[in-house]
Amino acid sequence: MTPASDTYDKATSLMHKRAISAFDAQAHEEDQRQSARRYVSIAAAVAAVGGLLFGYDTGIIASALIFVTQTFSLSTIGQEWVAASLNIGAIFGAVLSGPVSDRWGRRPAIMAAAAVFIVASIGCGLAPDVAVLIVARLGLGVAIGATTQIVPVYVAELAPASRRGGLVSLFQLVFSLGLLLAFFVGYELSGRAESWRAMFMLGAVPALLLAFGMLFLPESPRWLLHNEQEHHAVSVLYRLRGHKDVVRDELDEALVVRAEEHNGSDWKSLTQKWVRPALIAALGIAAFSQLSGPNVIVYYAPIILSQAGLGHSAALLTSVSVGVTSTITTAMGIALIDRVGRRRMMLVMLPLAALSLFVLGAIFISSAPLTGMRLTLMIISLLGYIFFNFGSLSVAVWLVASEVFPLIIRSKAMGLASATVWFSDTIVSLITLSLVETLGTTGTFWLFGLVNVAAFLFIWKYVPETAGTTLEYIEGSLLHRNFYKIHKK
C-alpha cells in the first residue's frame, strides 16, 4: 500500500466514523416521510426553473431576431452570430461550471448562474450595438450551459431512487414550457422596432425566481458528505427522506462507495477505464438527443414547410402545435419514466420516431401542394415524430447523464455531457437549411430518420436500465465492471 492510498484509507475511515456519529446523534423515531416527499418535490420544482431559462432564451430569439435585424441593419452573418452566440457560450458554461460546483457546491453554483443570467438579460436589452448584444448573449449562454449541467445533477443527488427519473425530467418539461412562453411573449410584444429589448429583459424574471428560491433549499447531501460535512449531510438527508431507517440505508451505501472510490477528481479522472462505460452511454445519448433532429422541427419547421408549399399561416400554426405536443409528451414521459424505465422507453419509442420521419419524407416526394389527405398525414407524421422523440431521448438525456457518473467526477462529466448537447445542437442548427438545399426536404427527413435508427442501436448496445437503482448502486457497478448488467433492485 502506498503512503497516498494509506492516507486516503485513513481519511475515509475517519469520515465513516464521523458520519455514523452524526447519524446516531440525530436518529429519531418519527415518521416524516410524507413531509419529506413534499420537500423533495418543492426542491426539484424550484431548481427546474433553470429549465425555464433554457427554454425561454432558446425560443425568444426567433421573435427577437426580426427586430434586432431592423435596429442594427444586420447582415445574414450578423444574424447568425447573434443567434449562435448563445450556443457557443453554453458550451463553455457547461464545461466550466463543473469545477465550480465541485469546489463551492451545487446550490451556490446554481445561484451564481442565475445572477449571470440576470445581468446578461439586462445587458441584452440595453445593448447599444450588435457587439455588446453578442457579448451579452455569450453571457446568457454561459449561464444556460451552467444550468443544464448543475440542475440535473443537483436534483438527482436530492431525489430518492424511486422518484429520481420524474423529478430530474421536470427540467425538460419546464424547458418546453419556456419555449411556449417565449412564443407567447414574442407574439404579444411584436410590432415595435425596439420590442426585442423587452423580450430579452423579461428573461431576468425567472432568473430572479430561481436565485430567490435557491436561498431556501439545501445543499446536495452527497456533495456535503464528499466534502467532509457529515453532520450537515445527515441533517439534510433527514429532511429529504423523513425516516431514520431510510437515511441509514442511503448513508451506508454512500459510505461503502466512497471507500471504494479511486482518489482524485481532476479532468484526467474522466479517462480512467472504469468510468468509460458511463461516458459512452451519457455522451452518446447527449449527442443523439440533438443529432436525431428535434430542434430541426422546433427551429425550422415553419421555413421548411413554407418552402414546400404550405402557406405561412398554416406553417406557423403547425409550429405552435409542435410546441404544445412537445410539452404534453414531456409531461407523459415524466409520468412513465420511473415505471417503464429509461432504456425501455427509448427502445420502444425511437423506432416509431424514425418511422414518422420516413413517412414525412415520403410525403414531400411529390411537389404538388399539400392538401387533403397528404396535409393530414403530414401533420400526423410531424407530431408523431415530436411525440416519440421528445417522449424518449429528450426526456432521458439530462436524467441518464446525471445518474450514471460517479460522485467524484459527476459535475465535470455532466458538464461534458451538457457541452455535447450544445455542440451537437449548434452543428444541427448550422447545417439543416443547407441539407434541405442539397438533399431536398425528403432526403433531409430521411437522413434524420436514419439517425434515429442509429440512436436505437446505440442505446440497445451501450445504455443499461438505471430506473429504480440508487446512484451508489450505479457507481458500484462501474467500480466492479458490471455496468451493462445493472438491473432494478
Side-chain angles (χ1 to χ4, degrees):
M1 180 178 292
T2 65
S5 62
D6 184 56
T7 301
Y8 179 74
D9 288 342
K10 290 180 179 178
T12 302
S13 177
L14 181 59
M15 183 194 72
H16 188 283
K17 291 179 180 178
R18 290 197 302 261
I20 298 304
S21 175
F23 172 81
D24 291 338
Q26 299 182 54
H28 51 77
E29 296 294 336
E30 294 86 355
D31 189 339
Q32 300 176 357
R33 278 175 283 197
Q34 286 300 319
S35 60
R37 183 181 177 87
R38 287 193 297 270
Y39 184 62
V40 171
S41 298
I42 292 170
V46 171
V49 174
L52 190 66
L53 308 182
F54 178 16
Y56 182 83
D57 262 274
T58 297
I60 199 63
I61 189 63
S63 300
L65 192 57
I66 299 172
F67 302 101
V68 171
T69 300
Q70 294 174 0
T71 299
F72 296 128
S73 301
L74 295 181
S75 64
T76 300
I77 294 176
Q79 293 177 50
E80 289 174 344
W81 271 104
V82 170
S85 55
L86 185 138
N87 283 32
I88 295 170
I91 295 171
F92 288 98
V95 173
L96 297 176
S97 58
V100 172
S101 66
D102 276 343
R103 176 67 179 86
W104 302 106
R106 318 309 194 206
R107 179 172 167 267
I110 294 174
M111 295 174 70
V116 172
F117 197 97
I118 293 168
V119 173
S121 295
I122 295 173
C124 284
L126 299 178
D129 53 50
V130 69
V132 173
L133 178 60
I134 289 174
V135 170
R137 289 273 295 169
L138 283 168
L140 281 178
V142 169
I144 291 175
T147 301
T148 59
Q149 181 271 321
I150 305 165
V151 170
V153 168
Y154 175 72
V155 177
E157 292 181 350
L158 256 61
S162 61
R163 301 179 63 205
R164 190 173 61 240
L167 292 176
V168 174
S169 297
L170 276 175
F171 184 81
Q172 183 66 27
L173 174 62
V174 178
F175 163 76
S176 297
L177 292 174
L179 278 177
L180 285 177
L181 178 63
F183 294 153
F184 176 77
V185 169
Y187 175 79
E188 288 294 319
L189 295 182
S190 63
R192 296 183 299 104
E194 297 291 310
S195 60
W196 61 271
R197 298 186 183 276
M199 294 180 192
F200 283 130
M201 285 195 284
L202 280 174
V205 175
L208 282 167
L209 294 175
L210 177 61
F212 180 74
M214 290 303 298
L215 290 173
F216 303 96
L217 298 186
E219 181 53 83
S220 159
R222 288 173 171 84
W223 183 89
L224 292 169
L225 194 61
H226 186 72
N227 285 271
E228 300 180 0
Q229 299 183 43
E230 295 85 4
H231 193 277
H232 192 182
V234 172
S235 178
V236 170
L237 270 177
Y238 265 111
R239 295 182 67 188
L240 296 171
R241 301 295 180 262
H243 194 276
K244 68 183 183 69
D245 293 340
V246 183
V247 173
R248 181 58 189 263
D249 288 344
E250 197 162 319
L251 185 62
D252 285 344
E253 193 166 6
L255 291 171
V256 168
V257 171
R258 171 62 176 157
E260 295 178 340
E261 275 180 346
H262 295 206
N263 198 13
S265 60
D266 56 19
W267 285 104
K268 290 183 179 179
S269 301
L270 294 174
T271 65
Q272 296 179 82
K273 188 174 181 180
W274 70 285
V275 176
R276 195 174 302 158
L279 274 177
I280 292 172
L283 298 188
I285 290 179
F288 277 118
S289 73
Q290 302 305 308
L291 298 178
S292 60
N295 285 342
V296 172
I297 305 301
V298 171
Y299 296 156
Y300 297 122
I303 296 175
I304 294 173
L305 295 177
S306 295
Q307 291 176 347
L310 198 65
H312 292 299
S313 297
L316 289 172
L317 183 60
T318 302
S319 183
V320 172
S321 66
V322 165
V324 173
T325 301
S326 68
T327 303
I328 294 172
T329 303
T330 304
M332 178 207 71
I334 289 173
L336 295 177
I337 199 163
D338 280 317
R339 299 177 186 176
V340 176
R342 296 84 160 113
R343 172 185 163 89
R344 184 182 302 171
M345 184 175 290
M346 289 186 284
L347 290 180
V348 168
M349 299 182 77
L350 278 174
L352 297 172
L355 178 62
S356 297
L357 287 178
F358 292 143
V359 172
L360 191 61
I363 291 171
F364 288 99
I365 291 177
S366 172
S367 58
L370 285 168
T371 57
M373 183 58 68
R374 283 182 67 233
L375 176 60
T376 301
L377 188 57
M378 183 276 295
I379 294 174
I380 293 173
S381 300
L382 185 69
L383 297 184
Y385 165 73
I386 290 296
F387 184 90
F388 294 118
N389 185 281
F390 269 72
S392 54
L393 272 177
S394 294
V395 171
V397 57
W398 305 111
L399 171 59
V400 172
S402 70
E403 62 187 6
V404 297
F405 293 118
L407 174 63
I408 200 167
I409 61 164
R410 186 171 295 142
S411 283
K412 293 182 179 66
M414 182 64 188
L416 190 59
S418 180
T420 301
V421 170
W422 285 105
F423 181 71
S424 302
D425 183 26
T426 302
I427 291 174
V428 170
S429 299
L430 291 175
I431 69 171
T432 296
L433 294 182
S434 297
L435 285 174
V436 173
E437 291 181 2
T438 304
L439 302 177
T441 304
T442 293
T444 300
F445 283 133
W446 283 357
L447 175 62
F448 283 110
L450 290 174
V451 176
N452 280 263
V453 173
F456 168 86
L457 295 174
F458 174 86
I459 291 162
W460 178 76
K461 182 173 178 60
Y462 293 109
V463 181
E465 182 57 73
T466 54
T469 60
T470 65
L471 298 179
E472 287 73 26
Y473 182 83
I474 298 170
E475 183 169 344
S477 72
L478 284 167
L479 285 164
H480 298 120
R481 308 296 197 272
N482 60 354
F483 179 71
Y484 297 121
K485 297 180 181 178
I486 292 177
H487 58 280
K488 190 171 181 179
K489 294 187 71 178

